[in-house]
Each structure stands twice: as C-alpha cells, then as structure tokens.
Amino acid sequence: MTDTILSLRNVKTQYGKKVIHENVNLDVRRGEIIGIIGGSGSGKTVLLRTILGLNRHTFGKIEIFGKEYHTLSTKEKHKIEQRWGVLFQDGALYSSLTVMENIDVALKEYTKLSTTTRNEIALLKIFLAGLPLDSAELMPSELSGGMRKRASLARALAMDPEILFLDEPTAGLDPITASGFDELLKTLQHALGFTVFLVTHDLDTLYTICDRVAVLAEKRIYAIGTIDELVQNPYPWIQEYFNGPRGRSAKMKPCGEK
C-alpha cells in the first residue's frame, strides 16, 4: 500500500482568531483503514469536513486522487465527489425520504441510469450494509440507531467509492451493535478494496479494524503509526488513551469482541 490517495501538507484551519489546526501533514494510503483520534476539541470532525470542502482551510494544500479539490471547478469537483462516500456521525439521512430514496439521491444526480437499474443498485447496497431488503421502504424515523448507521453506510456506498469518510460511525451504539458494524466495515473493505478515513474515539474499533492510527494533538498530527507503535509514544495523552483502563481492556479482548 504505497499509493497515496489523500495528502495534506501544512494545512491550517481557524474560525476567526481561533486556530484549530496548524501545519497538519498526513498521507493516507490507498486500501488502508486509518483511524483519526484526539482529545475533545482537537478538531477531528473539523479536519474531516475541511478535507471534504465543507470548511475552508486558511493555508496549506489538500490533494485527493492527486488533485487539489478546493481549487477545482464545480464540474471537476462533482467528478471527485463521485469517487468518495461519506457517513456523518448522526447518519444525516433525509428524513422525508425512504432508505431506498436516500441511496438513490447520488445515483440520480450523478448517473443517467434508469429508475429500475437505480432501484436494483440501491437494493444491492442495502443488502451489502446488512439490512433486510424490506427496510428499503422504511423511513429513517422507523429505523433503530444501528439500522440508521447501516442505511447511511449503504448510501455512502451508492457510487462504489474509492474512499469512505466516516465520522464516529459507532457513536451511540450499544457494544454488540457497534461490534457488528466494525466487522461489517472490515468485511466490505476487504471485499471491495476501498480506503477508509475514520474519525473515532472507540478503542475497540481501532483495535478491530484500523491498519494505522493518526493522533491529533497540539493542533497537528502529533503521531501516526500502528497501535503497537503508538503505545510506545511517551506523549501523556497517548499513554493515557492506549494504556489507561479502557485501553488495556480493549487490547485484551479477542479480535472482533466488544
């Protein structure tokens, strides 16, 4: 995995006079699952939203698929957007649309496929996300928390993305449901070969599926590596995170157990 799919160089973000990130440097390798962690207020979600162009960075360069997305024309941006999928923390499903209609939004906007073909694709994504096919006609309000996350994952997979951006996908889920989501994501990533950029605070998720972990601290990527490498880092927050009670508990659990 030497091909870089996403690259950040000296990225700075701020709101007014408040600097959130400064000199952020990061390379994400094609085909890996990379976890982004950090303390409260470190700007994990801000970083994800900045990469997606939902926030504007004030300095530095962000390249995805070898192109600086933020400098592209609207038409060129749309081509890039067809190559990624996004799952926000709350799922962000359209409340007035069914699960199938939510998945169809991107297919309808970016393709010229027939309604029948789009519906078949939507059903396939629902199946891949581990949902029963009859959930296609349900509204988001009729879904459990775990089902909403899976429906959001199905929508994120609609365009067969090369990279998935996930913001706290297991937040608010019970341990069994969260474990099931982790295993599903790992299985799909292995089968389909996409890259995953995962913002999380869930230690179990990190141990279960992540190839590398990047630590946001002191407004930058303070450290990056495998968990085995990070646990040797003397930085106090990293030591407390991985070697504290919850970190030791996550490490001791068999792979896949929450």
Side-chain angles (χ1 to χ4, degrees):
M1 296 188 298
T2 58
D3 182 18
T4 299
I5 194 170
L6 173 66
S7 176
L8 284 70
R9 289 293 178 269
N10 302 315
V11 172
K12 179 179 181 179
T13 58
Q14 64 185 97
Y15 295 125
K17 295 182 178 180
K18 183 178 181 180
V19 176
I20 309 299
H21 305 125
E22 194 161 24
N23 295 322
V24 172
N25 293 284
L26 177 66
D27 287 325
V28 177
R29 304 165 183 166
R30 186 178 293 275
E32 75 172 335
I33 299 179
I34 187 167
I36 310 298
I37 65 172
S40 298
S42 60
K44 300 182 293 296
T45 296
V46 171
L47 181 63
L48 183 149
R49 292 176 63 86
T50 301
I51 292 169
L52 296 176
L54 300 175
N55 296 329
R56 190 79 178 176
H57 60 293
T58 54
F59 187 79
K61 179 184 289 188
I62 300 174
E63 290 187 350
I64 185 164
F65 309 123
K67 296 184 178 181
E68 197 169 356
Y69 171 80
H70 303 76
T71 67
L72 300 177
S73 66
T74 299
K75 183 178 180 179
E76 291 172 320
K77 284 182 177 179
H78 285 170
K79 291 180 180 179
I80 295 292
E81 291 162 4
Q82 294 177 53
R83 299 172 68 184
W84 72 38
V86 184
L87 192 162
F88 292 105
Q89 182 173 346
D90 60 358
L93 293 169
Y94 296 107
S95 61
S96 60
L97 301 180
T98 66
V99 171
M100 178 179 283
E101 289 168 340
N102 266 278
I103 299 169
D104 187 48
V105 169
L107 295 169
K108 191 173 183 179
E109 179 176 358
Y110 292 122
T111 76
K112 296 181 180 180
L113 298 172
S114 67
T115 300
T116 299
T117 301
R118 296 200 316 270
N119 287 344
E120 290 174 349
I121 292 173
L123 287 172
L124 173 61
K125 304 307 178 180
I126 289 170
F127 174 78
L128 288 176
L131 289 170
L133 294 183
D134 58 10
S135 66
E137 300 304 323
L138 297 180
M139 306 299 289
S141 61
E142 299 177 287
L143 304 176
S144 67
M147 291 179 71
R148 280 196 297 273
K149 292 295 178 76
R150 289 181 181 240
S152 299
L153 177 61
R155 185 178 65 178
L157 293 171
M159 296 293 294
D160 295 328
E162 295 173 51
I163 183 170
L164 277 181
F165 292 94
L166 309 181
D167 188 11
E168 301 281 11
T170 58
L173 301 182
D174 65 82
I176 294 175
T177 304
S179 179
F181 188 94
D182 287 343
E183 290 299 330
L184 171 67
L185 182 61
K186 185 177 182 180
T187 299
L188 289 175
Q189 192 270 340
H190 284 173
L192 303 178
F194 51 74
T195 305
V196 178
F197 183 98
L198 171 66
V199 171
T200 187
H201 67 275
D202 192 328
L203 279 155
D204 293 320
T205 296
L206 297 177
Y207 275 100
T208 301
I209 68 173
C210 289
D211 299 301
R212 293 192 302 155
V213 178
V215 181
L216 262 177
E218 299 185 11
K219 302 179 183 178
R220 59 189 175 89
I221 300 294
Y222 187 90
I224 185 169
T226 65
I227 293 178
D228 287 342
E229 291 168 341
L230 290 178
V231 294
Q232 305 301 320
N233 192 298
Y235 188 69
W237 187 88
I238 297 176
Q239 282 296 306
E240 177 62 24
Y241 187 82
F242 285 108
N243 295 319
R246 294 184 65 186
R248 293 196 300 271
S249 176
K251 184 177 181 179
M252 292 173 62
K253 290 178 181 177
C255 180
E257 180 182 328
K258 281 282 178 175

